[in-house]
């Protein structure tokens, strides 16, 4: 079941689990097409605060 709409957004954000993409040739057009499937759909998780990397020479090259 999809999550309820988020007020103020034009689309409802969701997360998909178990995504698979299967390429195939469309028999009627001869073009490459894709079948995209997911095992489940859920409301997005809240993001954790980003940790800042150290500046300057401390960053690994």
């Amino acid at each position: 079941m999809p999550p309820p709409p988020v007020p103020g957004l034009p689309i409802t954000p969701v997360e998909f689990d178990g995504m698979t993409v299967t390429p195939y040739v469309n028999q009627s057009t001869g073009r490459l097409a894709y079948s995209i499937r997911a095992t489940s759909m859920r409301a997005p998780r809240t993001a954790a605060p980003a940790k800042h990397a150290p500046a300057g020479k401390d960053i690994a090259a």
Side-chain angles (χ1 to χ4, degrees):
M1 190 73 157
V6 177
L9 292 179
I11 61 171
T12 301
V14 296
E15 287 187 13
F16 296 100
D17 293 318
M19 295 287 297
T20 58
V21 178
T22 306
Y24 66 94
V25 176
N26 187 320
Q27 297 296 320
S28 63
T29 64
R31 293 185 177 184
L32 180 63
Y34 298 93
S35 172
I36 302 172
R37 297 179 183 183
T39 57
S40 64
M41 178 176 70
R42 59 184 158 82
R45 292 175 278 190
T46 57
K51 294 183 180 180
H52 297 286
K57 62 183 179 182
D58 295 334
I59 298 174

